[in-house]
Amino acid sequence: MLSDEELLRYSRQILLRQIDVEGQLRLKQARVLIVGVGGLGSPVALYLAAAGIGELHLADFDRVDLTNLQRQVMFDEAALGRYKAEAAVQRLEAMNPGIRLVTHLAPMGSDTLDQAVADVDLVVDCTDNFTVREAINRACVERRRPLVSGAAIRLEGQLTVFDPRREDSPCYHCLYGHGDETELTCSEAGVAGPLVGTVGSLQALEVLKLLAGFGEPLVGRLLLIDALGTRFRELRVKRDPHCGVCGPRHAE
């Protein structure tokens, strides 16, 4: 049940008929893994903590650097040199002491990643590395966990949802195949701070929709954001029946 304090804290959210008390209880009982607590992970973690997600798992082995402060709104200069996940815990605990926070500070191998995904209800990919994204996707397909994926570079952003529980849902590999491991990162190509904030905020909204059970999640749809012209475009994405990651599972 929700306490009187929780009813007051989340009252503006509970007022939404799509969420109500029942939806807020679902959020309280949910466990979410956020991989990467940087430009995207900062707004994701902040909004999910504020929304009352019962348990947040933060995975990031990087430390806060001065160049992060332009876009990673979780941190300030006092956090410089600290592990991002640990600094994030301090900030999130101050915001909402009623949630549980778990940190993963070491790089994850296939076994540890698989277990981390198994321990939660939903995963949010906030990384900027293709190999890591592929590994997260594979673990989510194996464990049948929804995956909210976002990306931002320069002045362009992308957002979609992969849900292995649905027969019609593509996975990350369906969309990007083997990708390009030489693709530039933000540290090489640059990125606008408000853009990662926009994508991260939309990722957090997709998480709430999936967990509380309202609206239409971005499954099978890729949202493209052009920050230069302030334009949003949507593409349909179909599951590849021959996908090397999710195809055999669907064929069984």
Side-chain angles (χ1 to χ4, degrees):
M1 297 296 292
L2 297 174
S3 67
D4 290 342
E5 181 179 339
E6 288 171 325
L7 288 170
L8 181 59
R9 176 184 286 267
Y10 308 119
S11 59
R12 301 300 187 274
Q13 199 162 269
I14 291 172
L15 281 171
L16 298 172
R17 62 178 180 79
Q18 293 88 348
I19 297 180
D20 209 342
V21 173
E22 184 178 349
Q24 189 63 50
L25 278 170
R26 292 196 191 105
L27 299 182
K28 181 179 180 178
Q29 295 161 358
R31 301 163 299 165
V32 174
L33 169 64
I34 303 171
V35 186
V37 192
L40 297 175
S42 288
V44 170
L46 287 165
Y47 274 115
L48 294 186
I53 300 296
E55 189 170 299
L56 289 179
H57 294 226
L58 310 175
D60 199 313
F61 61 88
D62 201 4
R63 294 178 183 269
V64 181
D65 182 82
L66 184 62
T67 61
N68 300 149
L69 302 186
Q70 164 257 350
R71 65 197 178 282
Q72 299 181 16
V73 294
M74 179 75 74
F75 313 115
D76 55 24
E77 289 199 0
L80 291 175
R82 298 183 61 191
Y83 280 110
K84 290 182 180 179
E86 289 185 338
V89 165
Q90 183 177 1
R91 173 80 181 275
L92 298 176
E93 283 180 338
M95 172 189 289
N96 190 350
I99 63 174
R100 183 168 182 260
L101 297 163
V102 178
T103 59
H104 300 274
L105 301 178
M108 289 187 177
S110 57
D111 291 340
T112 53
L113 177 58
D114 179 73
Q115 187 58 56
V117 171
D119 288 341
V120 298
D121 304 302
L122 182 149
V123 180
V124 191
D125 183 353
C126 299
T127 65
D128 62 357
N129 180 284
F130 176 77
T131 302
V132 176
R133 287 177 175 272
E134 274 276 80
I136 295 169
N137 175 67
R138 188 174 295 274
C140 286
V141 169
E142 291 295 325
R143 292 291 181 173
R144 296 177 64 81
R145 298 295 192 267
L147 172 61
V148 178
S149 177
I153 194 167
R154 299 188 180 96
L155 290 162
E156 301 172 350
Q158 296 183 4
L159 176 72
T160 190
V161 174
F162 307 110
D163 193 345
R165 301 170 302 179
R166 290 177 47 167
E167 291 297 318
D168 63 337
S169 175
C171 76
Y172 184 86
H173 194 76
C174 291
L175 179 58
Y176 294 105
H178 294 287
D180 182 3
E181 295 186 16
T182 63
E183 186 177 356
L184 294 176
T185 63
C186 293
S187 61
E188 299 165 310
V191 67
L195 173 63
V196 292
T198 299
V199 176
S201 297
L202 288 171
Q203 284 182 277
L205 181 58
E206 291 299 305
V207 172
L208 297 185
K209 288 160 61 179
L210 286 161
L211 294 176
F214 69 93
E216 182 185 356
L218 274 170
V219 177
R221 297 182 291 145
L222 177 66
L223 183 67
L224 303 176
I225 302 171
D226 170 16
L228 193 60
T230 315
R231 294 184 178 91
F232 291 76
R233 188 160 60 100
E234 182 182 298
L235 300 178
R236 289 285 177 178
V237 182
K238 294 184 178 180
R239 182 180 66 83
D240 179 2
H242 305 294
C243 175
V245 176
C246 71
R249 174 182 64 80
H250 285 273
E252 291 174 355

